[in-house]
Amino acid sequence: MGTSWLQQIYLRRLPIKKTLLLTVTSFVLFLTFFSPVWAQTVTEDVVSFANTEGLTLIKEGLSKDPEGYGYNNEAEISEITVGQGMQIHFIDGAKLRAASDSLIETVTPQDNWEFLILSGGIPKSKMIIQKDSNGSYQVTEFGGNPNTLAYAIHSLEAEGEVSEPTLIRERDEYIAAFKKDNQELIIAPQQASSAETKGLSNISEPQAPGHLIDVLQTMQNDSSDDEQDGSGTIASAYYADDNNHLTRSITISAIIALVAVFVFWAYLRRRKQPK
């Protein structure tokens, strides 16, 4: 019995279906294997809440005082979107005291997630989501300066494929830590003014965590309340050595220049003296 025209059409279309299926499967696998690792650190339920109930809640809150939150008007707030977000980790004090070369091993993940809120694709504020004792999500904070959070997340994003991407919050500052080629690296925290002026092309080079661990241990042992004038920030303490080295280099250069001028002046003076 011959094949009907309908069967012939089906048989001719079968390879197309297989090709389409293979194409879709390959695309999904591409997304799975080549998406940045840091982007996979937030579970789908948290992301879903952030983009639905969370976004609705903060739009209502921001609309009560647009200018106070840094927006032009309610129309701008109506267009905001949820950007990148990561789970927050806190440093365990006892583990920090014993740490030497790993910061990741000192942290504990929290049921807190911080997301950037974008206006026209640019970070404008942030949103903090927390899971309560009943397992429900709620927005616990919104607004605020997003620059240091954006700096940490974007710096980590710029590293591409890494393992154990970790966002640490300490003293309201953000530290990004990760492992690359089996080596642990950190991106040091930035003060808001510095993060605001630095683009992705000027991000700090990742460093081994040893120096930052020393800084955190020193601050942990210092009981003085020096945070009120800003001198107690992690960023200021971390970069203090660099500033001291720069100041020392400038001072040494100035002294050398003065000595050279004095020697040259003395030489000219001797030449002018009558024989």
Side-chain angles (χ1 to χ4, degrees):
M1 183 175 174
T3 305
S4 69
W5 66 270
L6 186 59
Q7 289 174 320
Q8 291 176 3
I9 293 176
Y10 175 79
L11 290 173
R12 283 199 296 266
R13 291 184 63 185
L14 186 58
I16 299 176
K17 288 185 177 181
K18 287 184 177 180
T19 303
L20 179 61
L21 180 60
L22 287 173
T23 302
V24 172
T25 303
S26 300
F27 181 69
V28 171
L29 288 174
F30 176 82
L31 291 179
T32 301
F33 289 112
F34 293 95
S35 295
V37 175
W38 67 268
Q40 300 172 8
T41 60
V42 183
T43 58
E44 291 183 7
D45 54 340
V46 178
V47 174
S48 176
F49 176 85
N51 282 283
T52 54
E53 296 176 62
L55 185 58
T56 299
L57 287 170
I58 67 168
K59 281 183 177 180
E60 293 176 359
L62 295 172
S63 296
K64 294 178 180 178
D65 184 12
E67 293 184 2
Y69 287 107
Y71 294 85
N72 295 321
N73 46 48
E74 291 189 31
E76 182 184 3
I77 293 173
S78 68
E79 299 295 328
I80 62 174
T81 57
V82 177
Q84 299 97 319
M86 290 190 69
Q87 185 174 20
I88 294 297
H89 295 69
F90 289 162
I91 295 174
D92 183 294
K95 293 180 180 179
L96 176 62
R97 291 187 185 92
S100 59
D101 57 2
S102 175
L103 191 62
I104 292 178
E105 292 180 1
T106 71
V107 302
T108 303
Q110 306 297 307
D111 284 334
N112 289 7
W113 296 263
E114 298 201 19
F115 286 84
L116 296 172
I117 301 302
L118 311 179
S119 176
I122 299 173
K124 196 67 175 280
S125 52
K126 57 186 179 180
M127 171 175 60
I128 300 178
I129 294 174
Q130 184 176 8
K131 181 187 285 187
D132 61 24
S133 57
N134 297 322
S136 300
Y137 296 112
Q138 56 183 340
V139 176
T140 57
E141 185 180 333
F142 60 87
N145 190 330
N147 291 331
T148 53
L149 176 62
Y151 183 86
I153 291 179
H154 289 169
S155 298
L156 186 55
E157 177 186 11
E159 290 299 316
E161 291 293 325
V162 299
S163 60
E164 298 185 48
T166 306
L167 183 64
I168 305 166
R169 183 170 179 173
E170 180 71 15
R171 292 194 175 201
D172 289 331
E173 295 175 81
Y174 300 92
I175 304 163
F178 59 95
K179 289 186 178 180
K180 201 168 190 177
D181 298 327
N182 295 320
Q183 180 184 7
E184 182 174 328
L185 298 168
I186 61 96
I187 297 170
Q190 294 289 315
Q191 294 177 329
S193 57
S194 300
E196 188 173 6
T197 58
K198 288 187 176 182
L200 286 179
S201 59
N202 297 318
I203 61 174
S204 300
E205 286 293 325
Q207 305 290 331
H211 176 47
L212 180 59
I213 290 174
D214 291 340
V215 168
L216 292 170
Q217 288 173 336
T218 299
M219 299 178 79
Q220 184 183 41
N221 296 328
D222 186 2
S223 59
S224 62
D225 184 12
D226 56 357
E227 294 185 47
Q228 293 183 357
D229 60 358
S231 61
T233 63
I234 300 172
S236 62
Y238 183 83
Y239 294 108
D241 287 343
D242 294 340
N243 294 334
N244 290 337
H245 290 156
L246 178 61
T247 302
R248 194 178 300 117
S249 299
I250 293 174
T251 302
I252 292 173
S253 298
I255 292 174
I256 293 173
L258 288 172
V259 170
V261 170
F262 176 78
V263 171
F264 185 68
W265 173 80
Y267 171 75
L268 291 178
R269 185 176 180 184
R270 286 188 60 185
R271 288 192 61 183
K272 291 180 178 180
Q273 289 179 353
K275 295 181 181 180

